[in-house]
C-alpha cells in the first residue's frame, strides 16, 4: 500500500462536479494506473492537447483529487502528478439533502457507469487480440439474489475486501520487481435492488 488515505469520501458538490467530467475522470483513472505522470504523458494516453490536460489536472488538484508528485526525471520543467488518495468514495447519503446535489450525484453516477461500460465494450472488441489465458481469465456474470439492505451492504464490503487484497498483492509484486505478465485489470461490480 502507498500509505495514502483509502477511499477519500467526497461529500461536497464542487469536488463531485470536478470529478464528474469525462476527461477529468479519464485522467484520474490513467493517473491511478500509472501512479505518477506528467501532463504530456497523460495527454498522449487520453489523446488530448497537453494544454487542455494541464488545465484539467490543475482543476483536479484544486479539489484535492490529485497532487504534485516528486519529480521522476532531472528535467525541472516537468510537473509530475499523482493521485491524492487511494481511491474515492461517493455515497448517495451525502447528496440527498438538496435537489441540485441529488441531480449532480445521479449525473456523475451515470457518467461513471457509461465510462465503465465503454471500457468493457473495448475489451469485447479487442479480446481476440489478447492471449488465450486472458480470455479464459476474464469474467462477466450476472447474479440475482434475494437479500436485505444489510446483507447487500455486507456483500459489497466483502467484495471490496477481496479486490483490495488482490490490489495489495499486485502492488507488492511490482514493488519487488515482479511485473512479468501483469496487465491493468478493471473490476466493475454493481449491486443494486430491482423489482422485476
Amino acid at each position: 500500500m502507498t500509505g495514502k488515505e483509502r477511499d477519500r469520501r467526497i461529500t461536497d458538490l464542487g469536488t463531485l462536479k470536478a470529478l464528474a467530467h469525462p476527461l477529468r475522470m479519464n485522467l484520474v483513472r490513467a493517473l491511478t494506473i500509472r501512479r505518477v505522470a506528467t501532463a504530456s504523458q497523460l495527454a498522449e494516453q487520453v489523446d488530448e492537447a497537453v494544454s487542455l490536460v494541464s488545465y484539467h489536472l490543475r482543476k483536479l488538484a484544486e479539489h484535492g483529487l490529485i497532487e504534485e508528485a516528486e519529480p521522476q526525471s532531472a528535467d525541472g520543467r516537468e510537473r509530475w502528478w499523482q493521485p491524492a488518495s487511494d481511491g474515492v468514495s461517493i455515497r448517495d447519503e451525502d447528496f440527498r439533502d438538496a435537489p441540485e446535489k441529488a441531480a449532480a450525484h445521479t449525473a456523475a453516477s451515470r457518467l461513471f457507469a457509461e465510462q465503465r461500460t465503454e471500457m468493457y465494450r473495448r475489451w469485447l472488441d479487442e479480446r481476440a487480440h489478447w492471449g488465450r489465458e486472458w480470455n479464459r481469465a476474464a469474467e462477466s456474470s450476472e447474479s440475482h439474489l434475494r437479500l436485505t439492505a444489510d446483507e447487500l451492504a455486507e456483500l459489497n464490503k466483502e467484495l471490496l475486501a477481496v479486490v483490495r487484497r488482490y490490489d495489495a498483492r499486485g502492488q507488492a509484486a511490482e514493488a519487488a520487481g515482479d511485473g512479468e505478465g501483469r496487465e491493468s485489470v478493471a473490476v466493475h461490480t454493481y449491486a443494486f435492488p430491482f423489482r422485476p
Side-chain angles (χ1 to χ4, degrees):
M1 281 294 129
T2 63
K4 292 183 181 182
E5 176 185 9
R6 175 54 109 173
D7 291 334
R8 174 187 164 208
R9 188 168 175 177
I10 295 175
T11 59
D12 67 286
L13 190 56
T15 302
L16 178 65
K17 285 182 175 181
L19 184 61
H21 179 283
L23 178 55
R24 290 181 193 159
M25 190 60 228
N26 283 337
L27 291 170
V28 168
R29 188 176 288 115
L31 201 50
T32 298
I33 293 167
R34 292 183 75 129
R35 297 200 176 89
V36 292
T38 64
S40 297
Q41 292 169 336
L42 293 168
E44 186 176 318
Q45 190 167 344
V46 298
D47 196 29
E48 292 289 350
V50 175
S51 58
L52 181 64
V53 167
S54 292
Y55 168 80
H56 286 292
L57 290 171
R58 287 191 304 274
K59 288 297 179 190
L60 289 166
E62 284 176 19
H63 291 278
L65 295 164
I66 66 170
E67 62 192 12
E68 284 195 58
E70 289 293 321
Q72 305 292 306
S73 71
D75 186 348
R77 297 171 297 162
E78 292 181 320
R79 193 172 186 185
W80 290 82
W81 297 97
Q82 65 187 8
S85 63
D86 280 334
V88 295
S89 170
I90 304 168
R91 299 182 187 166
D92 178 67
E93 64 201 58
D94 295 323
F95 297 95
R96 283 184 170 213
D97 59 339
E100 178 190 4
K101 290 171 85 174
H105 179 249
T106 297
S109 298
R110 285 180 178 274
L111 169 70
F112 304 151
E114 288 166 7
Q115 287 186 331
R116 291 172 187 149
T117 299
E118 181 53 35
M119 288 176 73
Y120 187 65
R121 281 187 184 124
R122 193 167 51 245
W123 152 254
L124 293 174
D125 292 343
E126 298 172 357
R127 69 179 164 190
H129 303 288
W130 287 82
R132 183 175 283 146
E133 68 280 359
W134 284 106
N135 276 278
R136 193 171 42 248
E139 175 68 24
S140 173
S141 65
E142 183 172 333
S143 301
H144 298 271
L145 313 174
R146 297 282 296 164
L147 304 174
T148 66
D150 287 342
E151 289 168 336
L152 177 56
E154 183 180 343
L155 172 64
N156 286 328
K157 187 176 179 179
E158 287 182 35
L159 290 172
L160 186 56
V162 170
V163 169
R164 286 182 177 163
R165 190 172 71 237
Y166 276 86
D167 181 37
R169 180 191 293 180
Q171 285 189 37
E174 285 201 328
D178 178 16
E180 182 73 26
R182 294 190 182 280
E183 297 284 352
S184 295
V185 173
V187 178
H188 300 163
T189 60
Y190 303 94
F192 53 90
F194 71 99
R195 292 188 175 102

